[in-house]
């Protein structure tokens, strides 16, 4: 479509401020941004929408416009809601660079313009999905009359006979059409998310296809603005945050026009995703304020006051002050110069949502801040009863990653790690600083373990485990090899299962009867195996010191 057509559409509320000679330019897409340098996310031909949050003073204007012109955008549209009027310096800069400039009336949402452009561009390519898009304008409206991703998916199903679902990068079901039938099983969602992440890491061109049973699914990434926009310099900046559109169909048989149309649908859903991210701003700010107070050693009364503000936002209608847990997360990439704090923040917001819960609403109960490369979640819990101390409620590290481990491992490939630490529940501001340090140390314990996705909780911070993160890697390897390699070699040659026997024996606290029952062995067979372990290692499993050495070696292996 051409810029002239946008200007002639009264409902869009556009007013031309400059560039009347350039109105025959073709618009190939639309992007909303308030980044000072959005050029990495631009491919040319876009109508760029901005609320002007990037502009601190007039000196910011010329560099911003120059970047847009270099990227080949079709035009710039600036909203009037923030400053009341488009600044004169922006009008002058666009005129110098022959960049068409529109003002967007404050009564018109950027989502309305986005939907219109996508609909028109798609309509010019083919007719089928254009008809669908024409019917779902209400998706972009707010309030109970609006829709969301579900509206688009319903229309895909009713008009194009396509069953489709929107998934998070961890495989959680965010939306599905009513005509798609039963919700996708959790294991299918996890496999689809893992396939998308694997394909993204290997650089394969989409859409990606995966056959599961009798069904074939085509997978389309859904990228929002900012860091998740298309054109990121390094796929690792976005791979753990992009949503996914899964369509039960083989897109390998589709013509180019149909593929283009589905890409248009992902852009429409991306608007809803961006709206959700914007809604998280308040919760993120609350978490950041509390975190800064805690780390600055503020008085408990001051921290408690901020917690009282946070509680109604995170748990509306709660009658009494909740308990709190702290979760610390970190994403690390080998040899990569990537800012991982925002990535960890977005990922932690997703991980802390129950994987069996659908929709975007559950994420509204989680406040996550980030500092440096570390993300810190402040998780509210309903106040527990007096006869419980909270240690049995809330988040448990051993199950936190269970449902998301496979998809995340696919996205991390062989050069990334995700590590999390979980504190005990605390019921007052005085305990929050200790909970933060407890969660941080638990994360260091998790980082000392093998594997791409690891978590540790406060229950694991026994005195002997506290030492593990501070033991140098070469010392750990030497200690483990010296103690366990003789047993591994023997198992390899004789299939004697000495290592599993040792693990079970220690877990049963050295009880012969319980260990034999667990392993389904006769006690005499168990005694023979333990004797062989002692012979090969010159250790005595009746001695506490030797038991502890074996325990630590197994934990570090």
């Amino acid at each position: 479509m051409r810029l002239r057509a946008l200007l002639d559409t009264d409902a869009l509320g556009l007013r031309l401020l400059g560039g009347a000679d350039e109105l025959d330019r073709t618009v190939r897409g639309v992007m909303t941004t308030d980044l000072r340098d959005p050029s990495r996310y631009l491919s040319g031909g876009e109508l760029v929408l901005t609320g002007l949050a990037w502009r601190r003073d007039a000196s910011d204007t010329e560099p911003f416009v120059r970047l847009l012109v270099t990227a080949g955008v079709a035009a710039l549209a600036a909203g009037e809601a923030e400053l009341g009027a488009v600044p004169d310096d922006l009008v002058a800069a666009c005129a110098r660079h022959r960049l068409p400039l529109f003002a967007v009336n404050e009564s018109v949402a950027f989502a309305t313009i986005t939907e219109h452009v996508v609909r028109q561009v798609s309509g010019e390519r083919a007719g089928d999905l254009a008809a669908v898009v024409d019917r779902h304008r209400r998706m972009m409206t707010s309030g109970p009359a609006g829709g969301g991703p579900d509206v688009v998916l319903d229309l895909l199903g009713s008009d194009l006979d396509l069953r489709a679902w929107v998934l998070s990068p961890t495989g959680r079901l965010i939306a599905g059409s009513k005509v798609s039938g039963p919700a996708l099983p959790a294991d299918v969602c996890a496999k689809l998310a893992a396939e998308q992440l694997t394909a993204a890491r290997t650089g394969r061109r989409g859409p990606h296809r995966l056959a599961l049973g009798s069904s074939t699914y085509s997978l389309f990434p859904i990228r929002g603005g900012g860091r998740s926009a298309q054109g990121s310099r390094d796929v690792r900046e976005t791979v753990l945050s992009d949503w996914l559109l899964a369509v039960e169909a083989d897109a390998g048989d589709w013509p180019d026009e149909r593929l283009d149309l589905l890409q248009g649908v992902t852009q429409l859903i991306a608007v809803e995703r961006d709206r959700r991210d914007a809604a998280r701003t308040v919760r993120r700010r609350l978490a950041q304020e509390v975190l800064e107070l805690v780390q600055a050693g503020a008085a408990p009364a001051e921290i408690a006051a901020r917690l009282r503000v946070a509680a109604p936002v995170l748990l509306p209608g709660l009658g009494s002050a909740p308990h709190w847990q702290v979760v610390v997360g970190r994403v690390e990439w080998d040899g990569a110069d990537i800012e991982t704090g925002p990535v960890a923040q977005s990922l932690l917001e997703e991980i802390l949502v129950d994987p069996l819960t659908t929709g975007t609403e559950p994420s509204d109960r989680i406040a996550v801040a980030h500092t440096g490369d570390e993300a810190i979640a402040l998780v509210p819990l309903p106040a527990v009863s007096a006869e419980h101390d909270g240690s049995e409620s809330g988040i448990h590290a051993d199950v936190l990653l269970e449902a998301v481990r496979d998809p995340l491992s696919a996205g991390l490939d062989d050069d990334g790690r995700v590590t999390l630490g979980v504190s005990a529940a605390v019921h007052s501001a005085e305990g929050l600083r200790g909970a933060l340090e407890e969660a941080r140390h638990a994360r260091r314990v998790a980082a000392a373990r093998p594997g791409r996705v690891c978590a540790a909780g406060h229950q694991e911070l026994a005195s002997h485990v506290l030492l593990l993160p501070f033991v140098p890697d070469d010392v750990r390897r030497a200690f483990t090899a010296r103690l366990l390699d003789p047993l591994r070699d023997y198992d390899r040659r004789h299939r004697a299962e000495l290592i599993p026997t040792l693990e079970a024996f220690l877990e049963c606290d050295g009880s012969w009867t319980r260990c034999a029952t667990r392993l389904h062995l006769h006690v005499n067979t168990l005694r023979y195996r333990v004797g062989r372990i002692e012979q090969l290692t010159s250790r005595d499993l009746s001695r506490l010191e030797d038991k502890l050495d074996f325990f630590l070696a197994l934990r570090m292996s």
Side-chain angles (χ1 to χ4, degrees):
M1 66 178 302
R2 300 188 185 278
L3 291 174
R4 192 180 306 279
L6 288 175
L7 188 61
D8 292 338
T9 306
D10 294 337
L12 299 183
L14 297 177
R15 188 172 75 259
L16 184 65
L17 300 181
D21 295 335
E22 306 292 334
L23 292 180
D24 287 328
R25 290 188 183 186
T26 299
V27 178
R28 296 184 175 87
V30 62
M31 176 189 178
T32 300
T33 185
D34 277 312
L35 294 175
R36 298 181 68 187
D37 180 8
S39 58
R40 74 180 71 173
Y41 308 122
L42 297 168
S43 57
E46 294 92 350
L47 170 66
V48 174
L49 305 173
T50 180
L52 300 176
W54 51 268
R55 182 186 179 278
R56 296 171 302 184
D57 54 47
S59 65
D60 293 329
T61 299
E62 177 69 18
F64 181 80
V65 173
R66 191 184 304 117
L67 287 168
L68 297 187
V69 172
T70 302
V73 305
L76 174 65
E80 296 179 321
E82 182 71 19
L83 302 179
V86 178
D88 291 339
D89 53 90
L90 181 58
V91 176
C94 289
R96 281 194 300 273
H97 292 279
R98 301 181 62 84
L99 179 66
L101 174 64
F102 299 96
V104 182
N105 189 282
E106 63 181 357
S107 65
V108 179
F110 282 175
T112 301
I113 300 174
T114 299
E115 185 266 349
H116 179 82
V117 172
V118 172
R119 185 179 74 244
Q120 294 300 321
V121 171
S122 298
E124 292 169 1
R125 291 172 179 165
D128 54 359
L129 192 57
V132 176
V133 176
D134 187 58
R135 291 176 49 198
H136 83 285
R137 181 187 297 272
R138 62 190 175 91
M139 168 194 146
M140 299 302 177
T141 63
S142 58
D150 306 86
V151 176
V152 182
L153 302 184
D154 284 345
L155 294 171
L156 283 176
S158 61
D159 286 26
L160 303 182
D161 197 26
L162 290 176
R163 287 160 42 90
W165 302 264
V166 176
L167 308 177
S168 78
T170 62
R172 186 172 65 88
L173 183 64
I174 293 173
S177 68
K178 298 181 180 65
V179 297
S180 292
L184 283 178
D187 61 328
V188 173
C189 292
K191 290 175 182 177
L192 294 177
E195 173 64 19
Q196 173 64 28
L197 292 173
T198 299
R201 287 306 312 275
T202 56
R204 302 205 315 262
R205 291 180 60 85
H208 313 299
R209 290 171 289 160
L210 179 65
L212 294 176
S214 60
S215 298
T216 297
Y217 298 90
S218 296
L219 313 177
F220 300 80
I222 299 171
R223 299 184 175 95
R227 299 179 61 88
S228 296
Q230 191 170 7
S232 175
R233 291 171 297 179
D234 191 319
V235 68
R236 291 173 292 186
E237 293 182 2
T238 62
V239 69
L240 299 180
S241 57
D242 286 341
W243 280 5
L244 161 67
L245 174 65
V247 180
E248 190 178 14
D250 188 348
D253 299 331
W254 289 0
D256 291 342
E257 290 81 2
R258 176 59 66 89
L259 292 174
D260 288 344
L261 294 174
L262 262 294
Q263 294 293 350
V265 170
T266 66
Q267 292 180 32
L268 292 168
I269 297 175
V271 173
E272 180 67 21
R273 177 206 163 146
D274 289 345
R275 177 181 293 171
R276 183 204 65 165
D277 287 344
R280 286 178 168 175
T281 301
V282 173
R283 296 184 296 280
R284 287 174 172 174
R285 187 172 66 247
L286 286 172
Q288 193 72 42
E289 291 174 353
V290 173
L291 173 63
E292 289 173 355
L293 290 174
V294 170
Q295 294 189 131
E302 186 176 0
I303 299 174
R306 296 310 302 162
L307 291 177
R308 284 194 294 272
V309 173
V313 175
L314 301 176
L315 289 175
L318 191 66
S320 58
H323 285 59
W324 303 90
Q325 271 185 290
V326 176
V327 181
V328 172
R330 191 165 184 150
V331 176
E332 298 172 286
W333 301 104
D334 297 341
D337 183 18
I338 298 174
E339 185 184 4
T340 58
V343 177
Q345 180 183 46
S346 176
L347 185 61
L348 195 53
E349 287 169 335
E350 179 60 41
I351 288 175
L352 290 172
V353 178
D354 185 343
L356 299 181
T357 303
T358 62
T360 58
E361 178 66 16
S363 63
D364 294 345
R365 302 294 175 261
I366 297 163
V368 185
H370 77 83
T371 173
D373 290 336
E374 183 180 67
I376 302 170
L378 187 64
V379 182
L381 306 172
V384 295
S385 58
E387 61 267 22
H388 291 87
D389 62 4
S391 61
E392 297 181 358
S393 63
I395 299 168
H396 292 264
D398 55 349
V399 299
L400 185 61
L401 298 177
E402 184 176 341
V404 301
R405 189 180 305 276
D406 289 345
L408 287 182
S409 296
L412 295 165
D413 198 17
D414 60 356
D415 61 347
R417 292 199 78 199
V418 170
T419 52
L420 301 179
V422 182
S423 79
V426 297
H427 65 278
S428 67
E430 289 88 346
L432 208 54
R433 183 176 180 83
L436 174 59
E437 293 308 314
E438 188 175 60
R440 280 176 166 160
H441 202 93
R443 193 208 65 79
R444 290 194 287 270
V445 169
R449 296 173 176 169
R452 292 290 165 191
V453 183
C454 298
H458 64 94
Q459 303 94 335
E460 302 175 66
L461 300 187
S463 59
H464 50 274
V465 179
L466 286 172
L467 302 175
L468 296 185
F470 307 102
V471 179
D473 289 344
D474 54 349
V475 175
R476 285 191 218 157
R477 286 191 291 268
F479 176 77
T480 302
R482 184 170 61 251
L483 204 55
L484 299 183
D485 278 2
L487 305 182
R488 292 179 177 134
D489 292 342
Y490 192 88
D491 280 349
R492 208 160 24 242
R493 294 195 308 270
H494 303 284
R495 298 182 180 178
E497 297 189 353
L498 296 185
I499 292 289
T501 300
L502 175 61
E503 292 174 332
F505 188 73
L506 294 175
E507 290 174 1
C508 292
D509 300 322
S511 168
W512 298 100
T513 302
R514 283 196 289 127
C515 185
T517 301
R518 173 182 290 193
L519 297 175
H520 306 290
L521 298 175
H522 192 278
V523 172
N524 289 341
T525 303
L526 175 61
R527 291 185 183 276
Y528 171 80
R529 289 188 183 180
V530 171
R532 179 62 69 183
I533 292 171
E534 293 175 331
Q535 180 185 22
L536 292 170
T537 60
S538 300
R539 297 297 184 111
D540 182 355
L541 277 168
S542 66
R543 298 178 68 246
L544 176 61
E545 294 88 344
D546 288 341
K547 286 181 181 178
L548 183 56
D549 281 350
F550 278 122
F551 173 82
L552 291 174
L554 289 168
R555 291 295 293 268
M556 291 189 292
S557 64

